[in-house]
Amino acid sequence: EARLRPPQSNDALSIPAPDPRWTVYQAEDGEPGRDFCLRNAVPRSVARGVRIEGDSDIQILDAGYWDDLSGDSVGEFRGVVTSRGWAEGVRFTLTWYDDTGQCAGAVHLRGEDEQRYTLRI
């Protein structure tokens, strides 16, 4: 007969928080081509002091900073994308703090050329 062992008091604390999973997309209810969202889709993840920077194909018009995007959360920002960025996509770099210190990552906003060649099943 199999039985589940209840967690010891330290077991729950020893599991590290997962890394965030970032996505950038256009805001549905914002101004088309100017309002964007940065989403962290991972529950329990820790992301504080989040900052987004774009490549040369976007000019971010506001702070691009959020105090806390931990867990499943969304932050909004404004930007102007170049015509090349709309066609080929825009690459963003992110920095944030988790429980262990500063982290960095990248996220990509797909361009029209990339969307055209994406296989849909």
Side-chain angles (χ1 to χ4, degrees), residues 1-23:
E1 176 178 310
R3 293 189 181 179
L4 294 176
R5 182 175 62 94
Q8 300 296 322
S9 60
N10 291 338
D11 285 354
L13 298 176
S14 65
I15 299 172
D19 292 335
R21 183 177 314 275
W22 302 108
T23 308

Side-chain angles (χ1 to χ4, degrees), residues 34-115:
R34 286 206 164 227
D35 293 326
F36 299 91
C37 295
L38 172 64
R39 179 176 183 218
N40 173 11
V42 179
R44 285 191 50 247
S45 64
V46 177
R48 294 187 184 100
V50 179
R51 183 170 172 89
I52 190 168
E53 295 290 339
D55 66 15
S56 62
D57 288 315
I58 188 169
Q59 177 187 6
I60 296 177
L61 300 175
D62 58 17
Y65 176 86
W66 302 268
D67 287 331
D68 195 347
L69 289 180
S70 296
D72 189 356
S73 56
V74 175
E76 296 183 3
F77 67 98
R78 298 200 88 196
V80 177
V81 179
T82 66
S83 58
R84 184 177 77 176
W86 282 122
E88 299 175 12
V90 177
R91 187 159 178 83
F92 296 91
T93 55
L94 301 169
T95 55
W96 70 92
Y97 291 89
D98 66 7
D99 289 337
T100 63
Q102 188 171 22
C103 301
V107 66
H108 186 76
L109 176 65
R110 293 186 328 166
E112 293 172 352
D113 291 349
E114 293 172 301
Q115 292 175 21

